[in-house]
Amino acid sequence: EGQNDTYYITGEGIAAGSSSPFLETLRKKDLGVMYTVDPVDEYYVQQLKETKAELEPLTKLMKEVLGDKVEKAIVNNQSH
C-alpha cells in the first residue's frame, strides 16, 4: 500500500540481489522490491504488467457500479 510501482531486481539468488547498490535508494524510501532469482520470474513480472493494464478499466467500472459502497477499486501489485 502506498507504492504505485513494482520494483524488481534480478540475480542469481536473494543474497546476490540484496547486495545490489541499486537497492539502497529504494530502501531509503521504504519501497518493496520483488526478487527475481529464477529465469521464469522475469516472464512472470512481464505478465503482471500486462494483466494490470487489462484490469484497470475493470476497476473503474467496478467503482462506478458500486458507487458509495466502496472507497476505491484498485489492482494490487503485490503477489503472495
Side-chain angles (χ1 to χ4, degrees):
E1 194 167 318
Q3 182 171 324
N4 296 324
D5 298 310
T6 301
Y7 297 96
Y8 65 96
I9 189 159
T10 356
E12 293 183 14
I14 292 176
S18 294
S19 63
S20 170
F22 298 110
L23 291 180
E24 181 140 351
T25 302
L26 298 174
R27 285 183 184 131
K28 286 180 182 177
K29 295 180 179 182
D30 198 31
L31 295 172
V33 177
M34 181 171 27
Y35 292 84
T36 57
V37 296
D38 193 292
V40 74
D41 290 343
E42 290 186 55
Y43 172 77
Y44 174 71
V45 169
Q46 183 59 38
Q47 293 303 310
L48 282 175
K49 290 178 184 176
E50 292 174 10
T51 301
K52 180 180 177 187
E54 292 171 7
L55 290 177
E56 286 178 342
L58 177 61
T59 60
K60 288 181 183 178
L61 176 63
M62 290 172 63
K63 176 60 181 153
E64 288 175 15
V65 170
L66 295 171
D68 293 338
K69 294 178 183 177
V70 296
E71 183 178 328
K72 62 183 173 180
I74 62 168
V75 177
N76 187 333
N77 291 331
Q78 297 177 337
S79 90
H80 299 279

